[in-house]
Amino acid sequence: MRKRALLLINRRARRGQQRFAQAIDCLDQLGFELITLPGKQADTWNELIHHYAGSVDLVIVGGGDGTLNHVVNSLVKYQLPLGILPFGTANDLARTLQIPVTVPEACQVIARGHRKAIDLGCVNDHYYFNVASLGLSVDITRQLTQGAKQRWGILAYAITALQVLSQMRLFHATLDFEGQSLRVKTLQIAVGNGRYYGGGLAIASDARIDDQRLDVYSLEIRHWWQIFHLLLHLPRGQHNLVPWVRTIQTDSIHISTSRPRSINTDGEITKKTPAQFTVVPQAISVFVPASV
């Protein structure tokens, strides 16, 4: 029996436009009955999922982490399994789940039907896959243009980060978790659920997307040049080796700031402080390679 799938392709994603037709051909040959709704407005896709939830077996999303973040709340609500076609710039969720980046291989992963239950992070009732953060990352998101991502790919993040760092400002925050209350002065606070974010940086050296915990770090630097020391450890998630980076592992944390600050979830600015962060174990299922 052919499985019926709702296929949502973000044509604004870095690889979305040119791989749209290829994905349809591959999935059709693999036996899927597709409801195909390409478009540029991912923020309308929750309505589409609501409309088709009772008549499809799965949802397949072609795009990057930001595109996936647009639909995560609906996937949780209707408990529809997710197939991922990594058409974005960073594709950190696909990297975490070892999903291939080529269209035929990614489609094969979905067709083989091996599913994995994964955790989600949740901040003020909004779910996320990889990481939620405030501070530096929000400034990077605001300055990172679609044109820069199309032109430079993953390098666009580094280029924009260097531009933002030249104007860096620390802020005060209060972290409340497990009976403790910490006051910090920081450049960025990140609350990770998955393993990778920011184009392949690890949130912690041993982080997994099914470990039922949040990995938190706070960059409490005093001089801009300290960021270069951090770059030696950031890719592997070895923040704990840097004395001015605070690391915390917990299943719930509350963050407040003197004034509301925007929060970035999977590359999209969605919420503001004060904010309650929690981990939601085994929240949804995703099609992954059998070895994962």
Side-chain angles (χ1 to χ4, degrees):
M1 181 181 294
R2 290 166 67 90
K3 286 192 175 182
R4 199 171 194 216
L6 176 60
L7 176 63
L8 303 171
I9 302 287
N10 180 6
R11 291 193 179 185
R12 293 183 63 191
R14 188 163 185 254
R15 301 180 180 91
Q17 186 68 31
Q18 65 265 37
R19 296 190 176 183
F20 169 60
Q22 186 184 9
I24 292 177
D25 289 343
C26 286
L27 291 166
D28 182 67
Q29 291 173 13
L30 289 167
F32 288 95
E33 179 184 344
L34 298 175
I35 299 174
T36 310
L37 295 162
K40 295 184 178 180
Q41 301 299 322
D43 54 358
T44 67
W45 288 357
N46 287 301
E47 298 173 16
L48 297 174
I49 293 173
H50 171 75
H51 180 77
Y52 289 103
S55 57
V56 297
D57 301 299
L58 67 153
V59 175
I60 301 173
V61 177
D65 297 301
T67 301
L68 291 163
N69 190 263
H70 276 290
V71 300
V72 62
N73 278 33
S74 291
L75 293 173
V76 174
K77 180 178 180 180
Y78 296 107
Q79 285 299 292
L80 287 164
L82 170 65
I84 299 173
L85 302 177
F87 292 170
T89 303
N91 299 311
D92 286 304
L93 179 59
R95 190 190 311 268
T96 294
L97 297 173
Q98 299 177 36
I99 295 170
V101 297
T102 66
V103 173
E105 289 179 306
C107 290
Q108 282 285 353
V109 167
I110 300 169
R112 291 185 185 115
H114 181 74
R115 286 157 55 174
K116 179 182 181 69
I118 65 170
D119 304 340
L120 292 175
C122 186
V123 51
N124 290 358
D125 299 322
H126 182 84
Y127 295 99
Y128 62 93
F129 292 100
N130 303 318
V131 70
S133 55
L134 56 151
L136 177 66
S137 65
V138 171
D139 294 334
I140 293 172
T141 297
R142 284 175 172 154
Q143 292 196 32
L144 185 62
T145 65
Q146 187 67 28
K149 289 195 287 185
Q150 292 284 356
R151 182 177 182 182
W152 300 106
I154 200 67
L155 285 176
Y157 289 90
I159 293 168
T160 307
L162 289 174
Q163 294 170 343
V164 170
L165 277 170
S166 66
Q167 307 165 3
M168 79 172 192
R169 288 185 175 87
L170 304 181
F171 63 94
H172 290 280
T174 302
L175 314 180
D176 293 296
F177 63 100
E178 299 178 4
Q180 300 182 60
S181 185
L182 301 176
R183 177 78 168 166
V184 300
K185 188 177 182 181
T186 182
L187 176 65
Q188 172 166 295
I189 299 171
V191 184
N193 168 68
R195 177 167 178 79
Y196 294 111
Y197 72 106
L201 304 177
I203 190 68
S205 59
D206 60 343
R208 303 193 320 272
I209 203 164
D210 59 353
D211 57 14
Q212 301 186 19
R213 78 174 193 226
L214 300 174
D215 292 286
V216 184
Y217 73 71
S218 171
L219 303 183
E220 298 167 20
I221 71 176
R222 293 295 178 266
H223 307 286
W224 66 268
W225 47 262
Q226 289 178 301
I227 203 73
F228 294 106
H229 184 200
L230 180 62
L231 291 176
L232 298 174
H233 301 284
L234 202 60
R236 296 183 297 276
Q238 297 174 329
H239 316 92
N240 58 314
L241 300 180
V242 181
W244 35 266
V245 178
R246 188 186 306 272
T247 59
I248 299 165
Q249 293 181 344
T250 185
D251 60 7
S252 177
I253 188 168
H254 185 272
I255 300 177
S256 57
T257 51
S258 56
R259 61 176 178 81
R261 298 191 69 93
S262 296
I263 297 171
N264 174 338
T265 57
D266 296 332
E268 300 291 313
I269 297 174
T270 55
K271 294 293 180 178
K272 290 182 179 292
T273 57
Q276 181 69 43
F277 299 79
T278 56
V279 63
V280 184
Q282 299 185 332
I284 63 170
S285 63
V286 184
F287 292 96
V288 299
S291 59
V292 174

